[in-house]
Amino acid sequence: MSVNTIAINRQMRRFDDHASVWLFGYGSIIFKADFPYLERRPAHITGWARRFWQGSHDHRGTAEAPGRVVTLVPEAGADCAGMAYLITPEVFAHLDHREKNGYLRLATAMRFEDGETAEGLIYIAAEDNEAFAGPASELEIARQIAGAVGPSGRNSEYLLKLAQALRDLGAEDSHVFAIERHLLQLTGQPVVLSSAPRP
Ligand code: BEZ
């Protein structure tokens, strides 16, 4: 199952007349910036929670054994830590293609660590997209991730890289770290106990 959002995202013209735009990354964009950027800064957005609720049939799973990747769901008072990249508008063509399976661009405010704020964009896979997998227990999510692999590699690699990138940012995310702990237990690897950056 694949929902192509490239055409819809092209119609998002909000920042077309800007020389550069902030993109807030909360998932693979934190640890895999395979695009040119002018500057990057740790940042936060409020009112959104990171969740492994989007199915991945094209990157970290297949149609037969879909994986799970993160999206954002609205949650009052939630704080989501990530990495913001200042990019030129042409870069969105690449990102629209990379994130074509259900992710739409949405304008949002972000806050940098020095308290400065900016308007920018996030990619979000809302619950009405066909690849939305929805809530499940963190153990069930870890089991699904443990068994999924796709053209971009193992789903477990995505989870572990994201968890490590969040630790490197000094970010707390009980959902991601709980799934990581379950996955490490399921696969017989040493469990990471804290959210502190690894030495
Ligand atoms: C992100 O890192 O922000 C992201 C990555 C993939 C899809 C959507 C968002």
Side-chain angles (χ1 to χ4, degrees), residues 23-32 50 54 59 69-72 83 85 95 98-100 103-104 121-125 158 162:
L23 168 71
F24 177 82
Y26 58 91
S28 60
I29 289 174
I30 303 181
F31 62 83
K32 188 183 172 201
R50 179 176 15 240
Q54 175 70 356
H59 279 302
V69 291
V70 288
T71 184
L72 293 173
M83 184 65 81
Y85 296 85
L95 291 168
R98 173 175 148 176
E99 309 306 344
K100 63 183 182 302
Y103 287 92
L104 291 172
L121 288 169
I122 51 178
Y123 279 89
I124 184 170
Y158 172 101
L162 176 59

Coordinates of all heavy atoms in Angstrom, one line a residue, residues 23-32 50 54 59 69-72 83 85 95 98-100 103-104 121-125 158 162, ligand 1:
L23 N 13.2 23.7 8.5 CA 12.5 22.4 8.5 C 12.8 21.8 9.9 O 14.0 21.6 10.2 CB 13.1 21.5 7.4 CG 12.7 20.1 7.5 CD1 11.2 19.9 7.2 CD2 13.5 19.2 6.5
F24 N 11.8 21.4 10.6 CA 12.0 20.8 11.9 C 11.9 19.3 11.7 O 10.9 18.7 11.2 CB 10.9 21.2 12.9 CG 11.0 20.5 14.2 CD1 11.8 20.9 15.2 CD2 10.2 19.4 14.5 CE1 11.9 20.3 16.4 CE2 10.3 18.7 15.7 CZ 11.2 19.2 16.7
G25 N 13.0 18.6 12.0 CA 13.1 17.1 11.9 C 12.9 16.5 13.2 O 13.6 16.9 14.2
Y26 N 12.1 15.5 13.3 CA 11.8 14.8 14.5 C 12.1 13.3 14.4 O 11.9 12.6 15.4 CB 10.4 15.1 15.0 CG 9.4 14.6 14.0 CD1 8.8 13.3 14.0 CD2 8.9 15.5 13.0 CE1 7.9 12.9 13.1 CE2 8.0 15.1 12.0 CZ 7.5 13.8 12.1 OH 6.6 13.4 11.1
G27 N 12.4 12.8 13.2 CA 12.5 11.4 13.0 C 13.9 11.2 12.3 O 14.9 11.7 12.7
S28 N 13.8 10.5 11.2 CA 15.1 10.1 10.5 C 15.9 11.4 10.0 O 17.1 11.3 9.9 CB 14.8 9.2 9.3 OG 14.0 9.9 8.4
I29 N 15.2 12.5 9.9 CA 15.9 13.7 9.5 C 16.9 14.2 10.5 O 17.8 14.8 10.3 CB 14.8 14.8 9.1 CG1 14.1 14.4 7.8 CG2 15.5 16.2 9.0 CD1 13.0 15.3 7.3
I30 N 16.7 13.7 11.8 CA 17.6 14.1 12.8 C 19.0 13.4 12.6 O 20.0 14.0 12.7 CB 17.1 13.7 14.3 CG1 15.8 14.3 14.6 CG2 18.2 14.1 15.3 CD1 15.3 13.9 16.0
F31 N 18.9 12.1 12.2 CA 20.2 11.4 12.1 C 20.6 11.2 10.6 O 21.7 10.7 10.4 CB 20.1 10.1 12.8 CG 19.1 9.1 12.3 CD1 19.3 8.3 11.3 CD2 17.8 9.0 13.0 CE1 18.4 7.4 10.8 CE2 16.9 8.1 12.5 CZ 17.2 7.3 11.4
K32 N 19.7 11.5 9.7 CA 20.1 11.3 8.3 C 19.7 12.5 7.4 O 18.6 12.6 6.8 CB 19.3 10.1 7.7 CG 19.8 9.7 6.3 CD 19.0 8.5 5.8 CE 19.4 8.3 4.3 NZ 18.4 7.5 3.6
R50 N 5.8 12.7 19.5 CA 6.4 11.8 18.5 C 5.9 10.4 18.8 O 6.0 9.9 19.9 CB 7.9 11.8 18.6 CG 8.7 10.9 17.7 CD 10.2 11.1 17.9 NE 10.6 11.8 19.1 CZ 11.3 13.0 19.1 NH1 11.7 13.5 17.9 NH2 11.6 13.6 20.2
Q54 N 3.2 5.4 12.2 CA 3.1 5.4 10.8 C 3.7 4.1 10.2 O 4.8 3.7 10.5 CB 3.8 6.6 10.2 CG 3.8 6.7 8.7 CD 2.5 7.0 8.0 OE1 1.4 7.0 8.7 NE2 2.4 7.1 6.7
H59 N 10.2 2.1 3.0 CA 11.5 2.3 3.5 C 12.0 1.3 4.5 O 13.1 0.7 4.3 CB 11.6 3.7 4.2 CG 11.7 4.9 3.3 ND1 12.7 5.0 2.4 CD2 10.9 6.0 3.1 CE1 12.6 6.1 1.7 NE2 11.5 6.7 2.1
V69 N 7.4 3.7 11.5 CA 8.3 4.9 11.7 C 7.5 6.0 12.4 O 6.3 5.8 12.7 CB 8.8 5.4 10.3 CG1 9.8 4.4 9.7 CG2 7.7 5.6 9.3
V70 N 8.2 7.1 12.7 CA 7.5 8.1 13.5 C 6.7 9.1 12.7 O 7.0 9.4 11.6 CB 8.5 8.8 14.5 CG1 9.0 8.0 15.6 CG2 9.6 9.5 13.7
T71 N 5.6 9.5 13.4 CA 4.9 10.7 12.9 C 4.6 11.5 14.2 O 5.1 11.2 15.3 CB 3.6 10.3 12.2 OG1 3.0 11.5 11.7 CG2 2.6 9.6 13.1
L72 N 3.9 12.6 14.0 CA 3.6 13.5 15.1 C 2.1 13.4 15.3 O 1.3 13.5 14.3 CB 4.0 14.9 14.9 CG 5.5 15.2 14.9 CD1 5.8 16.6 14.4 CD2 6.2 14.9 16.2
M83 N 15.7 18.4 15.5 CA 16.8 19.2 14.9 C 16.1 20.0 13.8 O 15.5 19.5 12.9 CB 17.9 18.3 14.4 CG 19.0 19.0 13.8 SD 20.0 19.9 15.1 CE 21.0 18.6 15.8
Y85 N 16.6 22.4 10.5 CA 17.6 22.7 9.4 C 17.1 23.9 8.5 O 15.9 23.9 8.1 CB 17.7 21.5 8.4 CG 18.2 20.2 9.1 CD1 17.3 19.4 9.8 CD2 19.5 19.9 9.0 CE1 17.8 18.2 10.4 CE2 20.0 18.7 9.6 CZ 19.2 17.9 10.3 OH 19.7 16.8 10.9
L95 N 12.9 16.1 -0.5 CA 12.2 15.6 0.8 C 10.8 15.1 0.5 O 10.4 14.0 1.0 CB 12.2 16.7 1.8 CG 13.5 17.0 2.4 CD1 13.5 18.3 3.2 CD2 14.1 15.9 3.2
R98 N 11.4 11.7 -0.8 CA 11.8 10.7 0.3 C 10.6 10.4 1.2 O 10.5 9.2 1.7 CB 13.0 11.4 1.0 CG 13.4 10.7 2.2 CD 14.6 11.3 2.9 NE 14.6 11.1 4.3 CZ 15.6 11.5 5.1 NH1 16.6 12.1 4.7 NH2 15.5 11.3 6.4
E99 N 9.8 11.3 1.5 CA 8.7 11.1 2.5 C 7.3 11.0 1.8 O 6.4 11.5 2.3 CB 8.7 12.3 3.5 CG 10.1 12.6 4.1 CD 10.7 11.3 4.7 OE1 10.0 10.3 5.0 OE2 11.9 11.4 5.0
K100 N 7.3 10.3 0.6 CA 6.1 10.4 -0.2 C 5.0 9.5 0.4 O 3.8 9.6 -0.1 CB 6.4 10.0 -1.6 CG 6.9 8.6 -1.8 CD 7.2 8.4 -3.3 CE 7.7 7.0 -3.6 NZ 8.9 6.6 -2.9
Y103 N 3.2 11.5 4.1 CA 3.7 12.7 4.9 C 3.3 14.0 4.1 O 3.7 14.1 2.9 CB 5.2 12.6 5.1 CG 5.6 11.6 6.2 CD1 5.9 10.3 5.8 CD2 5.6 12.0 7.5 CE1 6.3 9.4 6.8 CE2 5.9 11.0 8.5 CZ 6.3 9.8 8.1 OH 6.6 8.8 9.1
L104 N 2.7 14.9 4.8 CA 2.4 16.2 4.2 C 3.1 17.3 5.0 O 3.3 17.2 6.2 CB 0.8 16.4 4.4 CG 0.0 15.5 3.5 CD1 -1.5 15.7 3.9 CD2 0.2 15.8 2.0
L121 N 8.5 24.4 8.7 CA 7.7 23.3 8.2 C 8.1 22.0 9.0 O 9.2 21.8 9.4 CB 7.9 23.1 6.7 CG 7.3 24.1 5.8 CD1 7.8 24.0 4.4 CD2 5.8 24.0 5.8
I122 N 7.1 21.1 9.1 CA 7.3 19.7 9.5 C 6.6 18.8 8.5 O 5.7 19.3 7.7 CB 6.7 19.4 10.9 CG1 5.2 19.9 11.0 CG2 7.5 20.0 12.0 CD1 4.6 19.5 12.3
Y123 N 7.1 17.6 8.4 CA 6.4 16.6 7.6 C 5.6 15.7 8.6 O 6.2 15.2 9.6 CB 7.3 15.7 6.9 CG 7.8 16.3 5.6 CD1 9.0 17.1 5.6 CD2 7.2 16.1 4.4 CE1 9.4 17.6 4.4 CE2 7.6 16.6 3.2 CZ 8.7 17.4 3.2 OH 9.2 18.0 2.0
I124 N 4.3 15.6 8.4 CA 3.5 14.9 9.3 C 2.6 13.9 8.6 O 2.0 14.2 7.5 CB 2.6 15.9 10.1 CG1 1.8 15.2 11.2 CG2 1.8 16.8 9.3 CD1 1.2 16.2 12.1
A125 N 2.4 12.7 9.1 CA 1.5 11.7 8.5 C 0.3 11.6 9.4 O 0.4 11.1 10.5 CB 2.3 10.4 8.5
Y158 N 16.6 1.9 12.3 CA 16.0 3.3 12.3 C 15.7 3.6 13.8 O 16.0 4.7 14.2 CB 14.7 3.2 11.5 CG 13.7 4.4 11.6 CD1 13.7 5.3 10.6 CD2 12.9 4.5 12.6 CE1 12.8 6.4 10.6 CE2 12.0 5.6 12.7 CZ 12.0 6.5 11.7 OH 11.1 7.6 11.8
L162 N 17.5 6.6 15.9 CA 16.7 7.7 16.4 C 16.9 7.8 17.9 O 17.1 9.0 18.4 CB 15.2 7.5 16.1 CG 14.2 8.5 16.6 CD1 14.6 9.9 16.1 CD2 12.8 8.2 16.3
Ligands
BEZ1 C1 11.6 13.9 10.3 O1 12.7 13.5 10.7 O2 11.1 15.0 10.6 C2 10.8 13.1 9.4 C3 11.3 12.0 8.8 C4 10.6 11.2 8.0 C5 9.3 11.5 7.8 C6 8.7 12.6 8.4 C7 9.5 13.3 9.2

